[in-house]
Amino acid sequence: MTVVQIVALAAVAITGAGVVLAADPLRAVFVLGLFGLTLTMLFFSFQAPDVALSEIVVSTLALPLIVFAALRKIREHERELERRDGGQ
Amino acid sequence: MSRRARLALFLCSGPGLAAVLVLGFRGLPAIGAYHGVYGLVVNGVELSERHATDFVTSLNFDLRAFDTLGEEYILFAAAVGVAVVLRGLRAEDEQEQDEQSADSSRKQGFAGASDALRALSLLLVPLFVALGAYVVLHGALTPGGGFQGGIVLAAGPIAGLLAGRYLALKRIAPESAVEALDAFGACAYALLGLGGLVFASSYMQNFLPLGIAGHLLSGGYMPLNSIAVGLEVSGAFLLVWTEFLDQTLIVARGEGS
């Protein structure tokens, strides 16, 4: 195992723990993007560039977009409910 | 279950799980030691048989093309499911809002973006489209292929969202065009297999001339497969993203009026 692989493995472990320990979903998504980047470096250091390309596009583009849209909808829905309860 | 009870349960079972994991890892071969046969056969034989220099893509689109057909239809079914559920919800929401408020301003959208962000997205859109097209077309030659390039292609119009111009995005990538793209890609992949059935002897058999390894048109029908998958993946992701973003747009409209 080369040094790059060991460093990548350690980075994956640390950012993985960071995702779980993040305070709220919004922060967790940002750390998730970072986690995806470290996973990409891991796959690349193990000589799997196709998997690394897939991982980087999915975890930095696809997943955060969907989760941001869902979080925004939830927050707006909560605000709407508050507005209705406050008005009545 | 209280927090202390959960902690106690973990402290009891955690060491057992750790012991089992360590025992299991001790029996694994070393990193990089490959005990199989298929990989070595493919490494030795693929270049002379298929004239493609990216063996992973040739596995995906030629040697195991049937598995990729299943995977593409998984993505297609997921995108259709999202569209069916969220559009049904959106129809209900729009009906409810029209009943509640007389004037629903259609201009309300996402907040305007700063000039720096607009300039950045102006740079990003052609970059994404060019990179996506490159990765898709060079599927058989360099790492990448239809799936990776397809997502990068789909990110091109989304960079317009970054500039705060979501309604412009809806004009560039309207729902009908995105659906048509997705369906066309999925259909094209299945029909290329039929070409194998007609011109060669079996479904998904490589039937186009193989060309010279390293050139753009090599590997038989791999570039065509790559393009079909790229179109399908970009259509599916654009569909899912615009459905999710439309949901937030609905609620934002409700907030403003």
Side-chain angles (χ1 to χ4, degrees):
Chain A
M1 286 239 283
T2 65
V3 177
V4 177
Q5 290 172 346
I6 297 179
V7 167
L9 276 172
V12 165
I14 293 173
T15 46
V19 170
V20 172
L21 295 174
D24 60 350
L26 192 60
R27 297 226 176 99
V29 172
F30 287 116
V31 187
L32 192 68
L34 210 58
F35 175 67
L37 276 178
T38 56
L39 259 185
T40 305
M41 289 315 301
L42 181 72
F43 293 148
F44 198 59
S45 69
F46 276 95
Q47 301 177 336
D50 290 75
V51 189
L53 265 176
S54 295
E55 169 64 29
I56 200 169
V57 294
V58 160
S59 79
T60 55
L61 279 177
L63 202 59
L65 256 177
I66 293 180
V67 179
F68 282 149
L71 283 178
R72 182 184 161 127
K73 162 113 185 170
I74 292 175
R75 197 178 55 180
E76 299 283 349
H77 186 65
E78 280 176 353
R79 229 186 273 167
E80 168 99 9
L81 283 179
E82 264 178 48
R83 195 170 55 104
R84 277 198 207 154
D85 286 341
Q88 286 177 354
Chain B
M1 207 187 245
S2 73
R3 190 154 188 264
R4 288 184 61 185
R6 276 183 297 183
L7 202 58
L9 186 61
F10 174 67
L11 284 176
C12 293
S13 54
L17 180 63
V20 169
L21 269 179
V22 166
L23 271 177
F25 275 124
R26 282 186 62 197
L28 287 177
I31 286 194
Y34 179 62
H35 287 234
V37 179
Y38 190 72
L40 298 171
V41 169
V42 167
N43 273 344
V45 140
E46 201 274 337
L47 197 56
S48 57
E49 279 219 10
R50 293 289 187 257
H51 295 200
T53 51
D54 182 9
F55 294 175
V56 178
T57 302
S58 83
L59 270 173
N60 270 336
F61 293 142
D62 188 353
L63 299 175
R64 298 285 209 174
F66 195 63
D67 298 344
T68 310
L69 181 71
E71 286 177 22
E72 292 315 311
Y73 277 87
I74 289 176
L75 183 59
F76 185 68
V80 167
V82 166
V84 163
V85 170
L86 289 184
R87 277 184 201 173
L89 275 178
R90 190 155 43 112
E92 283 178 22
D93 277 345
E94 274 177 345
Q95 217 177 15
E96 191 182 292
Q97 274 178 11
D98 284 341
E99 287 167 10
Q100 274 182 1
S101 65
D103 59 330
S104 50
S105 93
R106 291 207 145 254
K107 291 259 171 65
Q108 172 114 11
F110 293 85
S114 65
D115 284 338
L117 208 51
R118 282 202 198 145
L120 182 67
S121 82
L122 190 67
L123 268 179
L124 277 182
V125 172
L127 265 180
F128 274 140
V129 173
L131 183 65
Y134 162 76
V135 172
V136 166
L137 284 175
H138 286 69
L141 302 174
T142 56
F147 177 72
Q148 294 90 333
I151 304 190
V152 177
L153 261 182
I158 296 292
L161 169 68
L162 199 64
R165 319 241 328 133
Y166 182 60
L167 296 175
L169 166 72
K170 298 288 279 179
R171 258 178 300 196
I172 298 176
E175 273 177 15
S176 52
V178 163
E179 287 173 8
L181 197 66
D182 193 12
F184 173 70
C187 185
Y189 191 84
L191 287 181
L192 276 171
L194 270 184
L197 192 61
V198 169
F199 297 112
S201 57
S202 52
Y203 190 68
M204 291 283 178
Q205 181 90 351
N206 207 341
F207 63 97
L208 287 179
L210 289 175
I212 307 175
H215 286 208
L216 196 57
L217 293 176
S218 63
Y221 73 172
M222 267 189 251
L224 292 180
N225 262 347
S226 195
I227 292 174
V229 167
L231 290 179
E232 199 255 332
V233 166
S234 72
F237 270 96
L238 268 178
L239 192 62
V240 168
W241 285 336
T242 50
E243 283 302 326
F244 271 90
L245 290 171
D246 277 344
Q247 287 287 311
T248 65
L249 190 60
I250 290 294
V251 188
R253 265 219 303 269
E255 273 290 303
S257 57

